Amino acid sequence: MKQAIGYIRVSTEKQANEGVSLEAQEAKIVSWCKANDYELVKVYVDAGISGKRMDNRKELNTALASLKKGMALVSYSLSRLARSTKDMLDISEKVSFKKAHLVSLTEQIDTTTAAGNLMFQMLAVLAEFERKLVSERTINSMQHKKRTGQKYTNITPYGFEAI
């Protein structure tokens, strides 16, 4: 039987502690494995860690290191793997080097074909673009709140009192 490794991630501690996102991602991976005759060997979880960088995600790096020839690395979506084009391509290269496969359920990506590889690379660029848009909107919103005298942080400066 073919084997798969799952990888799931949420960006914030709040999502990790209060949301059902981790469970929902894992359920989708389990369903895919059953439907495609894969044995799910292990699910690696990075809870409350941003996808902006790959180097600080211990479980992702462990998952990549544990891949073997013919295995599949399955994630709910490409955005769970990385939000950086460079990191996404690095992940793809590591998976390819091990002669394994990369599967993203949301985008229906399978890198075993040239077309699947092209789609993977295009979506990696779009994931990074989305991360930058979110950052840009957050910065603009905080600057607006600051300009208009609204509360824009939960940190009260030393010597002041929050009212």
Side-chain angles (χ1 to χ4, degrees):
M1 181 179 241
K2 300 176 281 186
Q3 293 185 322
I5 290 174
Y7 176 74
I8 59 179
R9 178 188 67 79
V10 290
S11 299
T12 66
E13 285 296 327
K14 185 176 179 182
Q15 288 173 320
N17 295 328
E18 297 175 14
V20 294
S21 186
L22 289 172
E23 292 82 11
Q25 289 177 53
E26 185 169 355
K28 291 283 189 181
I29 291 170
V30 168
S31 293
W32 181 89
C33 287
K34 286 179 183 175
N36 292 280
D37 295 324
Y38 274 81
E39 172 194 357
L40 184 58
V41 176
K42 183 167 174 139
V43 176
Y44 292 88
V45 182
D46 277 320
I49 301 176
S50 169
K52 184 177 180 179
R53 295 180 13 229
M54 186 175 137
D55 62 339
N56 66 335
R57 290 188 283 144
K58 180 183 173 232
E59 294 297 299
L60 173 61
N61 289 303
T62 303
L64 290 169
S66 65
L67 277 175
K68 293 180 178 45
K69 183 178 180 178
M71 290 179 89
L73 175 62
V74 185
S75 71
Y76 175 73
S77 74
L78 292 178
S79 67
R80 301 301 85 206
L81 285 172
R83 292 283 191 160
S84 153
T85 305
K86 179 186 173 296
D87 285 348
M88 194 70 79
L89 296 175
D90 188 35
I91 290 167
S92 175
E93 190 173 287
K94 288 178 180 187
V95 170
S96 180
F97 179 77
K98 296 222 174 175
K99 296 185 177 18
H101 308 290
L102 183 59
V103 176
S104 173
L105 303 178
T106 303
E107 296 87 3
Q108 299 180 355
I109 298 292
D110 181 345
T111 61
T112 60
T113 67
N117 209 29
L118 171 67
M119 287 302 298
F120 168 77
Q121 291 173 354
M122 295 296 291
L123 290 170
V125 170
L126 292 174
E128 181 176 348
F129 175 65
E130 179 185 10
R131 179 184 56 82
K132 288 180 179 180
L133 282 177
V134 168
S135 174
E136 195 174 88
R137 284 192 300 263
T138 302
I139 289 168
N140 289 338
S141 177
M142 289 178 68
Q143 287 174 343
H144 173 74
K145 285 184 172 201
K146 188 175 183 179
R147 275 193 311 272
T148 59
Q150 297 177 47
K151 184 177 178 181
Y152 62 93
T153 180
N154 287 332
I155 299 170
T156 304
Y158 182 74
F160 288 82
E161 181 180 333
I163 300 174

